[in-house]
Amino acid sequence: MAAFVGLTSAASATTISLHSAGSYGALVGSGPQIVEDFEGFGALGEGEVGSNFSTDVGTFNTLGGTGSGGTVTGLSGNTGTELALRDGNTFRRVNTTPGGRWYLDSNDTWGMSWEVSTGSMFSRIVFTLADGSDAGGWLAIISEGIRVEQRTNGRLGDGNIATVVVDFGRAVSSALITIGNYSGSGSQGFVRNDGFSVDDISVNIAPVPLPAGLPLLLAGLGGLVALGRRRKANAA
């Protein structure tokens, strides 16, 4: 899958790009990260996670719409009104963590709203997106006014996997990311029953910025130390 980068507006340095599944490792990089692969939620078992599903990388909730596809009817007690924690292959939505099992599924709703918050400043997010835009919906990732659609023409293949990068271009303390199924390119209308899943979320922690006046303060202190040494030398 070729990279597709969202346009940057004057009000936002944010870019969103989609890449092949195989590029995930290189895109994540080696800096400090907070990772959520949903493996720690396995004890909950398969099923809906309710409103405000809290994780190490923030809170997830459905965008609305009641799913009624095979994904919903295939799980006992599933109402199709919330996101769901899944295990194994669910209509080609799959775990993408090597050796893992669990992932977060849209559960055939309109999509998910993700309030990113880690307790630390961050600048970039990488995650995998599975099985999107294969049943009629135009899946789009939206953040800070930037919108990138996964498909540019016809439906994508069943079970496709993409690596998504959201780069804020600066350190932020929180962000809102919408991953939704729309009725057409540029449309604001949602559709349901074109499910997808997210997994392997990596949030890149940003270095703590130095106060703007710190370099000048340090330079001033260095000057005072040097002056003191010269005076001491002259007195000797």
Side-chain angles (χ1 to χ4, degrees):
M1 179 182 294
F4 187 76
V5 182
L7 298 177
T8 303
S9 70
S12 173
T14 300
T15 60
I16 302 173
S17 55
L18 279 74
H19 307 261
S20 66
S23 62
Y24 177 85
L27 291 168
V28 166
S30 58
Q33 305 161 10
I34 295 178
V35 175
E36 181 60 78
D37 57 15
F38 303 103
E39 297 303 311
F41 293 99
L44 297 177
E46 281 198 283
E48 294 178 326
V49 294
S51 299
N52 302 315
F53 179 49
S54 297
T55 73
D56 286 342
V57 295
T59 303
F60 293 83
N61 200 1
T62 177
L63 292 175
T66 301
S68 59
T71 300
V72 177
T73 59
L75 186 63
S76 177
N78 201 348
T79 67
T81 61
E82 299 292 345
L83 306 181
L85 191 66
R86 300 279 184 173
D87 175 15
N89 188 316
T90 305
F91 286 84
R92 303 298 296 275
R93 272 98 86 186
V94 294
N95 170 275
T96 58
T97 307
R101 295 173 50 186
W102 300 92
Y103 54 91
L104 187 63
D105 190 277
S106 68
N107 204 27
D108 282 343
T109 63
W110 292 339
M112 59 182 71
S113 174
W114 173 15
E115 299 173 22
V116 188
S117 177
T118 64
S120 301
M121 301 291 283
F122 56 91
S123 59
R124 191 165 171 272
I125 299 171
V126 181
F127 62 95
T128 58
L129 178 66
D131 200 43
S133 300
D134 67 328
W138 289 72
L139 190 148
I141 302 102
I142 303 170
S143 186
E144 297 199 325
I146 306 300
R147 171 174 174 152
V148 168
E149 294 172 351
Q150 187 186 25
R151 59 182 278 199
T152 57
N153 198 348
R155 300 180 184 181
L156 300 185
D158 190 24
N160 67 85
I161 298 176
T163 299
V164 181
V165 178
V166 182
D167 193 329
F168 298 99
R170 66 198 190 284
V172 298
S173 59
S174 62
L176 177 64
I177 298 177
T178 298
I179 311 172
N181 285 312
Y182 296 86
S183 58
S185 180
S187 170
Q188 299 302 313
F190 291 113
V191 296
R192 60 195 178 114
N193 295 339
D194 191 350
F196 60 87
S197 60
V198 298
D199 199 7
D200 282 330
I201 299 169
S202 175
V203 179
N204 291 98
I205 302 303
V208 178
L210 295 175
L214 185 58
L216 291 175
L217 176 61
L218 293 176
L221 290 174
L224 290 174
V225 170
L227 179 60
R229 287 175 177 172
R230 284 199 298 270
R231 287 177 174 173
K232 185 176 181 180
N234 292 335

